[in-house]
Amino acid sequence: MEIQDNWEVVKLARDPNRLRGSDFARNVFHDFFELHGDRAFGDDPAMIGGPAYLDEQPVMLLFQERGRTQEDEKKRNYGMLEPEGY
């Protein structure tokens, strides 16, 4: 797929059906275990991370998640990180 101009890039980035980090965690990696919180202050629902396997290689996944449904977007603060997410 060839991108014609910058506006095409913007439209692709805003496409509500584009793949999310959780799609990759579920379909590319296996044995993903989501970790929560910084163990000192709080948890940021917009930042998802945890160990997983790519084939037999252990990896750590970190991704920012906006959510798909309106309820999920609100729960994840529309993908906007809080200080604990950093």
Side-chain angles (χ1 to χ4, degrees):
M1 177 170 138
E2 187 175 327
I3 297 174
Q4 298 299 320
D5 60 16
N6 291 335
W7 181 240
E8 292 296 318
V9 173
V10 172
K11 290 191 318 189
L12 285 171
R14 294 179 179 173
D15 184 352
N17 296 317
R18 73 188 183 280
L19 294 174
R20 314 285 170 132
S22 56
D23 296 323
F24 288 100
R26 184 174 43 255
N27 296 307
V28 175
F29 301 90
H30 62 91
D31 294 334
F32 174 64
F33 182 76
E34 186 175 341
L35 300 175
H36 291 274
D38 62 6
R39 307 295 187 252
F41 179 72
D43 182 26
D44 188 346
M47 178 59 78
I48 298 176
Y53 286 89
L54 179 60
D55 296 323
E56 298 305 316
Q57 180 70 37
V59 295
M60 180 64 77
L61 301 180
L62 291 172
F63 52 93
Q64 192 173 346
E65 185 75 11
R66 178 178 180 151
R68 288 215 181 269
T69 66
Q70 190 172 18
E71 181 181 312
D72 195 35
E73 284 184 337
K74 186 175 181 182
K75 176 185 129 190
R76 297 197 181 276
N77 196 29
Y78 302 94
M80 295 181 290
L81 295 177
E82 299 288 340
E84 16 328 310
Y86 291 98

